[in-house]
Amino acid sequence: MHVSIRTVSIAALIVGLILALLVTAFREEPVAVDLATVERGSLVITVDAEGETRVRELYTVSAPISGTLLRLPLSVGDPVVAGETVVAQVQPASAPLLDSRSRAQAEASLLEADAQVLFAEAEVARTLAEVRYSISQSERAEALVARGAASLTRLEDAGMQVELAQSGAASAEARLAMARASQERARAALDDPGEATGVFACCVQLFAPSDGMVLSQSDVSARPVVAGETLLSIGDPAALEVVVNLLSADATRLQEGALATLERWGGDGVLEARLRRIEPTARTVVSALGIEEQRVDALLDITTSGPGQAGLGHGFSVYARIEEWRTDDALLVPLSAAFRDGAQWYVFQALEGIAIKQPVELGRHDGRLAVVKEGLGSGAQVITHPPDTLVEGSAISERVRF
């Protein structure tokens, strides 16, 4: 049977097309992935938290007496000089006005006090007379004893009478002083409040306790105040510190003297700072999610000086990053490339278009990069964010990004 060459060629072509379609249908499509290169570099691990600036030495001026606070002579932001600038004036409280009943009682008290003074004066006059009489009797007894007309016992009795009379006179004078004091107290209760005299008649002037400026005022208007009430605060805004509220678990990982940076403070660039102290006592704080947390304050000193922190003042918000650990030379892999299988860390390494599941040992990480201790070398390519469909030996191709 004769078969033409043309027929054979067509059949071969058809068979080839069928084989090509079968290969294409059963061939695994490469998985599009993102690749990253393992490189050496520096890594800094920080504890990050919101913070607030405050004047390091803040002075609070309070009312020393109860009375009327006159309108404050200064405004917030005004400079003050220690011991020279008057920051507040307090007028002492006046005596309350008396109603008719209270005035009648006060007048009766004054009359009683006047009578007690008269009685005490009479007692003083009587006791002084007794003293004079006892002295004369003692002198007469002494003369009689000298002539032998009286015994020594009579002289001793006369001396005793002199001492008793003098003691009675001293007591009478003390009672007179007490009566006069009561008289003054009763008279003062009747004084008109508008007739106050003395050093406190006008006002008590309060001077600035330190150099700086007025940072806050309770109220600039004149008003009644009580002793100990806060009037204003003074401080030097050039001497600032930063208070950072940390979780106690994070604070235990930090060392005093650690370097820090301050961001989001409103100015250009980043401010440098240093951790000065971590408060020894934590407090319980309820978070926005209703979870109780143990919080502790960390104090930072700003080391950037000059115009670098211009405009920063008391109570300003900052974002602090405090160094917990640092290395200047380590093999780093993106943490997004690592995953766990049991207790072991793995990465998918890209070798000639094939995904190889590679066990690795990781060290510290900052949430973005991790230190590679074993399992990878510098320059190795790993797959970041590996999909769940990726398995050992899968064909891969790098995703093209536009």
Side-chain angles (χ1 to χ4, degrees):
M1 182 176 179
H2 178 69
V3 180
S4 66
I5 296 176
R6 183 178 179 180
T7 302
V8 174
S9 300
I10 293 173
L13 180 60
I14 293 173
V15 172
L17 289 174
I18 293 173
L19 291 175
L21 291 172
L22 291 175
V23 170
T24 302
F26 288 100
R27 185 181 63 184
E28 180 183 359
E29 287 292 334
V31 179
V33 295
D34 295 320
L35 299 180
T37 303
V38 178
E39 297 176 336
R40 303 197 72 85
S42 61
L43 181 65
V44 178
I45 298 176
T46 61
V47 173
D48 305 337
E50 296 283 347
E52 181 178 315
T53 62
R54 73 180 182 190
V55 171
R56 183 173 299 177
E57 295 183 353
L58 185 66
Y59 294 87
T60 299
V61 179
S62 303
I65 59 173
S66 298
T68 301
L69 173 69
L70 304 185
R71 186 175 180 84
L72 296 181
L74 300 175
S75 300
V76 173
D78 288 348
V80 296
V81 179
E84 297 182 8
T85 307
V86 177
V87 296
Q89 300 178 87
V90 181
Q91 185 175 6
S94 301
L97 295 174
L98 299 177
D99 55 28
S100 58
R101 178 179 180 181
S102 299
R103 177 167 290 278
Q105 291 176 340
E107 290 174 349
S109 297
L110 179 58
L111 292 175
E112 181 183 1
D114 291 341
Q116 289 177 348
V117 169
L118 293 175
F119 177 78
E121 289 175 344
E123 282 293 302
V124 169
R126 183 182 63 78
T127 55
L128 290 177
E130 290 179 351
V131 169
R132 290 192 298 270
Y133 176 75
S134 62
I135 291 175
S136 64
Q137 289 295 103
S138 177
E139 291 174 349
R140 184 176 295 107
E142 185 177 357
L144 293 174
V145 169
R147 292 198 303 267
S151 65
L152 291 175
T153 302
R154 181 177 177 181
L155 179 61
E156 291 175 353
D157 291 341
M160 177 63 69
Q161 293 299 323
V162 171
E163 292 180 1
L164 291 175
Q166 290 175 340
S167 298
S171 297
E173 290 177 351
R175 287 193 296 270
L176 176 60
M178 294 171 58
R180 286 173 175 170
S182 298
Q183 183 185 44
E184 291 299 322
R185 182 167 60 251
R187 184 178 291 115
L190 286 169
D191 286 343
D192 188 343
E195 297 178 355
T197 59
V199 67
F200 295 110
C202 173
C203 54
V204 178
Q205 292 187 335
L206 306 180
F207 294 89
S210 70
D211 295 339
M213 68 172 53
V214 179
L215 299 178
S216 65
Q217 294 175 328
S218 57
D219 192 349
V220 298
S221 300
R223 57 189 174 86
V225 294
V226 296
E229 182 175 345
T230 299
L231 305 180
L232 69 160
S233 61
I234 293 173
D236 183 4
L240 294 176
E241 63 183 5
V242 178
V243 184
V244 182
N245 187 238
L246 302 175
L247 288 171
S248 59
D250 291 337
T252 57
R253 306 202 308 267
L254 300 175
Q255 297 294 326
E256 294 184 357
L259 298 177
T261 57
L262 305 177
E263 305 172 0
R264 308 178 197 170
W265 59 279
D268 296 331
V270 174
L271 300 179
E272 296 181 353
R274 187 177 294 274
L275 177 61
R276 184 174 86 247
R277 186 179 68 193
I278 297 176
E279 296 291 352
T281 304
R283 60 186 180 276
T284 302
V285 177
V286 179
S287 69
L289 299 177
I291 301 173
E292 288 189 354
E293 300 174 338
Q294 296 303 117
R295 292 275 178 172
V296 64
D297 286 338
L299 305 181
L300 306 179
D301 290 330
I302 302 175
T303 56
T304 299
S305 58
Q309 54 170 316
L312 197 61
H314 178 72
F316 283 37
S317 175
V318 297
Y319 191 79
R321 299 184 186 273
I322 309 172
E323 288 190 8
E324 174 191 344
W325 182 81
R326 164 190 287 270
T327 180
D328 295 326
D329 184 24
L331 191 62
L332 304 177
V333 62
L335 197 59
S336 60
F339 60 93
R340 279 187 179 275
D341 188 352
Q344 177 66 50
W345 283 102
Y346 290 90
V347 297
F348 278 116
Q349 184 176 357
L351 292 175
E352 298 180 354
I354 301 298
I356 304 299
K357 188 177 180 181
Q358 176 67 34
V360 292
E361 183 180 352
L362 302 181
R364 288 178 174 265
H365 66 84
D366 64 352
R368 188 176 61 89
L369 297 174
V371 175
V372 179
K373 293 184 176 181
E374 292 183 4
L376 292 172
S378 180
Q381 286 194 313
V382 294
I383 300 172
T384 60
H385 304 287
D388 295 337
T389 57
L390 193 66
V391 295
E392 173 83 17
S394 296
I396 58 173
S397 63
E398 185 172 6
R399 182 180 287 110
V400 179
R401 295 187 177 275
F402 298 97

